[in-house]
Amino acid sequence: GINAEYMGILTELRVLPFTEGTVSRVRNILERGAKRFMHHSDQGTLWMEYIKVEAKYGDDTSKRRVLYRAINQCPGMKDIWYSSYDQFKEILTSEEMKELMEWMVEKDIHLRTFLEEIAIL
């Protein structure tokens, strides 16, 4: 069933080391999971893994793409917002940060940050 297949994907990710040589394979597994389990109640776990992979191995374009896809798929999952902010804040423009913060307000997501960081916006 779906749960067995979902667990299989998570297991596959856990046993496959994230290295420069396996990034393409890991991305393929994550894409397969993202498409297959788009409406699964625990899909946020896959997106969190995808964020980690892109934070380490992705370029700015792939980081942005995964960030926005994860937020669109799991808008109420605070861990995705927090992780995305933490992992990608260096690549986001002030306009993108402002837009994300506006979305967070709309979704009633609260982010703890330093006042100095907010002042930059």
Side-chain angles (χ1 to χ4, degrees):
I2 287 182
N3 286 336
E5 190 178 349
Y6 185 77
M7 291 308 295
I9 286 176
L10 291 178
T11 301
E12 203 173 343
L13 288 171
R14 298 282 186 248
V15 299
L16 185 66
F18 292 177
T19 65
E20 198 72 38
T22 63
V23 171
S24 179
R25 185 166 174 215
V26 168
R27 283 182 176 134
N28 287 338
I29 293 167
L30 288 164
E31 275 301 317
R32 187 177 75 226
K35 289 175 183 162
R36 175 71 173 101
F37 301 105
M38 188 178 296
H39 302 291
H40 192 276
S41 61
D42 194 33
Q43 68 171 316
T45 303
L46 288 173
W47 286 110
M48 293 294 292
E49 292 298 320
Y50 215 155
I51 289 167
K52 287 181 200 173
V53 169
E54 293 306 323
K56 188 166 185 174
Y57 298 107
D59 59 24
D60 290 356
T61 301
S62 66
K63 289 175 183 179
R64 279 185 178 89
R65 187 186 78 245
V66 167
L67 164 67
Y68 288 109
R69 287 178 66 200
I71 288 171
N72 282 321
Q73 287 298 308
C74 305
M77 189 173 173
K78 289 182 180 184
D79 286 345
I80 286 182
W81 289 92
Y82 296 151
S83 182
S84 297
Y85 174 79
D86 187 50
Q87 299 289 332
F88 302 143
K89 64 185 173 189
E90 293 84 22
I91 67 153
L92 298 173
T93 66
S94 59
E95 187 61 36
E96 289 169 324
M97 290 292 284
K98 183 179 176 186
E99 181 180 78
L100 287 176
M101 289 192 182
E102 287 171 2
W103 286 350
M104 290 171 71
V105 168
E106 286 176 21
K107 303 291 181 193
D108 200 30
I109 304 288
H110 303 280
L111 181 67
R112 292 182 200 109
T113 190
F114 296 106
L115 291 176
E116 298 87 39
E117 291 182 50
I118 292 173
I120 292 171
L121 301 176

